[in-house]
Amino acid sequence: MKNFVVKTIANAGALAVAIWLLQDITLNGGSTGRKALTLIVVALLFGLVNIVVKPIVKLLTLPLFILTLGLITLVVNALMLMLTSWLAGQFNLSFHVDGFWTAVLGGLIISIVSWALNVVLPDED
């Protein structure tokens, strides 16, 4: 359970950095507390998408992974971020990613920051 909380916090931190760095990834809302709550819910959605959908997409695109030497991972991460943005819209959350190339850059930022936070944060069950 602690591992799940740590990964959710890492995802939320990575999403916050991407929102801060890229003007086309937005998180709107009223107060800071509401934004923080929305960010946590979006991080949970993002984690759910990465757990459920990403392995299926990776399996279906395995030949492209081999052909591009893994560079297709950037596209897959961008698609997962765009799917999270769409799902957030369905749940009336104020998180939006505007455009594919923004999603590619956002996915790269989120991957790097999430990796760094997972190295720093404790990983115990």
Side-chain angles (χ1 to χ4, degrees), residues 1-13:
M1 182 67 178
K2 187 176 180 182
N3 192 23
F4 174 75
V5 172
V6 167
K7 289 200 181 297
T8 301
I9 291 170
N11 275 341

Side-chain angles (χ1 to χ4, degrees), residues 81-96:
L81 188 58
M82 291 180 76
L83 179 60
T84 302
S85 174
W86 179 80
L87 285 171
Q90 298 303 308
F91 289 111
N92 290 326
L93 298 171
S94 58
F95 175 77
H96 182 69

Side-chain angles (χ1 to χ4, degrees), residues 10-60:
N11 275 341
L15 284 164
V17 170
I19 291 166
W20 180 61
L21 289 176
L22 301 174
Q23 68 182 13
D24 289 336
I25 298 178
T26 57
L27 178 71
N28 300 322
S31 66
T32 304
R34 181 142 175 95
K35 283 184 181 179
L37 181 62
T38 302
L39 187 62
I40 295 294
V41 173
V42 170
L44 287 170
L45 272 175
F46 188 63
L48 186 65
V49 165
N50 280 327
I51 288 171
V52 175
V53 178
K54 192 172 184 178
I56 296 168
V57 172
K58 279 182 141 181
L59 182 64
L60 293 175

